[in-house]
Amino acid sequence: MIDTDAQLAYGISWAAYAVAFIVFFYMMKRLFRILPLYGLRTLLLAALVVLFLTPVESPDVAGWWVPAWLFGGYEMILGDADAAGRALFNLGIAGLVMVLVWILDLVRYRLVSR
């Protein structure tokens, strides 16, 4: 059982991660503004969201979620291919969902811009 201090630290770390991602996302959004194609800009921003916000459940503590890129990279370095594969699977599913949403956004953009 995890004590309340660990739960508080878990919540604070996710809050700090979320704030840092929001700052990073808006900085990248301003940087991507120089790209001339709407579809390319939104694809790159969506890829950032998938890469940094896709979680995977920790095998050590039930109910605790870890960023998949961090967990997968760490497990790859340690040589645990099964755990790294779980993280990559989550990233793949999130990527497929992102591509579907991106295509729907392109259709919406096309219909609105007419």
Side-chain angles (χ1 to χ4, degrees), residues 3 10 15 20 26-27 35 42 44 46-49 59-60 68-71 74 76 81 83 99 106 110:
D3 61 350
Y10 174 72
Y26 282 108
M27 288 173 54
L35 297 173
T42 56
L44 291 173
L48 285 176
V49 170
D60 300 326
W69 68 271
L70 185 63
F71 180 77
Y74 182 70
M76 261 191 250
V99 166
L106 288 179
R110 176 79 177 210

